[in-house]
Amino acid sequence: MNLCVVAMPGSEQCAQRIAERLGVPQCRLESRRFPDGEIYLRLLDEVQGRHVAVVAQLRDPDPQLPGLLFLADALRGLGASGVGLVAPYLPYMRQDTCFQAGEAITSRSFARLVSDAFAWLVTMDPHLHRIASLDAIYDLRAVAVPSAPSIAAWVRTEVVQPHIVGPDVESEQWVSDVAARAGCSYSVLRKRRSGDRSVELTLPDLEDLRGRTPVLVDDIVSSGQTMATTVRKIAALGFAAPICIAVHPVFAGDAFAALQLAGAARVVSCNTLRHPTNAIDVTSPLAEAIRAVVESLERGTRHLASD
Ligand code: R5P
């Protein structure tokens, strides 16, 4: 596989893990800011004729976006044969419709920018709610890698008598898969969001939880309000303190502290974004998805060349 990996500034460790898992080299990137804040980028290794995977952990994506697009453009200009984006956390997936007249549907705008810049995308469990699949908004080869096998493996080894809880209807897609793989039961709550930091939850009958360890699983923990409110509700009913699992530990501001304060027994996350809670390593499934995409592109090129 003629692939090299380039890390966006701040994503070096993630890129290194992926390159090592794939057994491919990294292409070094020099990057700095000019005095006026504009970004300077320089590729220090040859990329001509190679596939390139740009690894970007996109917490707080706005400051990173221009550099990401410029990097893809530079790689194409230097003759890379295909430039893909590995964004373990895909941002801008939640404003996927117009809730109030005049709103920007940023999921679609972000998808258009990324699709114009990259040939393929590998990500993990994007927030697909009103949008059924990435193909509905992304015009490139998009692969959504599931986190459920990794999370279920962690639950099986770390939790005694688990019962998985999803905080809202959207979470059922992850929660049901994790529960099936971990061989345990699950429940899904109902959520009504009335503001960026305010949610109300309705609980179903939770008698299945009696004598078990509640394990809350959500895709994104951002303000932490969804998780913290769920923890408090479950504790108020006299169940054991829950373990909280985030696929994408965004943890904006004081969200992590607030979740601990709410009474979570333990907070863990997948390492799609760097965070002290990272306990579930998803390098392997991401790397295998990258390998599959690049090998199939290479097979396609060989096929065309032999026609
Ligand atoms: C939304 O539907 C997601 O699945 C999460 O529940 C949500 O993004 C969590 O946000 P917050 O941490 O701000 O409550």
Side-chain angles (χ1 to χ4, degrees):
M1 186 169 51
N2 191 6
L3 169 72
C4 65
V5 171
V6 180
M8 272 292 284
S11 300
E12 290 82 1
Q13 290 181 8
C14 181
Q16 187 178 345
R17 282 194 300 268
I18 287 173
E20 280 173 4
R21 194 62 55 99
L22 288 168
V24 300
Q26 289 195 65
C27 170
R28 290 164 304 150
L29 173 69
E30 182 186 335
S31 153
R32 64 186 174 84
R33 296 272 170 191
F34 288 108
D36 60 3
E38 292 181 0
I39 196 163
Y40 169 90
L41 299 170
R42 180 182 171 212
L43 276 311
L44 299 176
D45 296 300
E46 186 62 59
V47 294
Q48 169 87 36
R50 310 190 95 150
H51 289 276
V52 180
V54 175
V55 175
Q57 289 182 295
L58 296 174
R59 172 190 284 120
D60 197 10
D62 293 12
Q64 298 196 61
L65 187 57
L68 187 64
L69 301 179
F70 299 155
L71 177 57
D73 197 37
L75 288 164
R76 281 196 309 270
L78 289 166
S81 59
V83 184
L85 172 62
V86 181
Y89 165 62
L90 189 61
Y92 277 113
M93 284 302 289
R94 289 180 293 171
Q95 184 76 34
D96 56 4
T97 191
C98 191
F99 299 98
Q100 300 187 70
E103 283 178 347
I105 305 177
T106 47
S107 291
R108 289 181 185 275
S109 308
F110 186 80
R112 270 195 292 272
L113 287 171
V114 169
S115 301
D116 285 348
F118 292 93
W120 53 269
L121 164 70
V122 167
T123 188
M124 178 158 270
D125 282 338
H127 185 78
L128 294 171
H129 181 198
R130 284 159 288 261
I131 291 168
S133 89
L134 287 176
D135 293 339
I137 55 171
Y138 278 83
D139 185 19
L140 44 58
R141 183 161 188 167
V143 181
V145 180
S147 62
S150 309
I151 294 178
W154 187 89
V155 169
R156 275 200 309 271
T157 55
E158 298 283 330
V159 187
V160 179
Q161 300 257 58
H163 176 90
I164 313 290
V165 178
D168 50 29
V169 176
E170 297 107 276
S171 70
E172 182 152 14
Q173 53 191 304
W174 304 285
V175 162
S176 55
D177 197 6
V178 170
R181 290 169 186 274
C184 64
S185 48
Y186 76 92
S187 308
V188 170
L189 318 187
R190 302 209 164 258
K191 177 171 86 180
R192 203 178 72 81
R193 184 179 284 282
S194 46
D196 288 347
R197 291 173 188 277
S198 105
V199 296
E200 285 162 39
L201 291 173
T202 314
L203 275 58
D205 175 10
L206 287 177
E207 275 319 296
D208 279 357
L209 249 182
R210 203 58 69 195
R212 296 185 173 268
T213 309
V215 181
L216 314 189
V217 179
D218 204 359
D219 60 339
I220 302 168
V221 178
S222 177
S223 72
Q225 284 306 309
T226 301
M227 276 279 190
T229 308
T230 313
V231 167
R232 279 193 293 267
K233 284 262 186 190
I234 286 179
L237 291 172
F239 296 115
I243 293 171
C244 297
I245 302 180
V247 178
H248 305 297
V250 173
F251 286 116
D254 63 355
F256 180 41
L259 187 50
Q260 289 174 306
L261 207 63
R266 193 170 170 191
V267 183
V268 301
S269 64
C270 300
N271 55 353
T272 59
L273 297 169
R274 276 180 76 180
H275 194 265
T277 55
N278 288 165
I280 303 171
D281 185 9
V282 292
T283 306
S284 216
L286 288 169
E288 288 320 309
I290 297 165
R291 186 192 303 283
V293 171
V294 174
E295 286 183 350
S296 99
L297 289 170
E298 288 184 337
R299 276 196 301 275
T301 312
R302 275 199 298 276
H303 183 65
L304 279 177
S306 64
D307 275 351

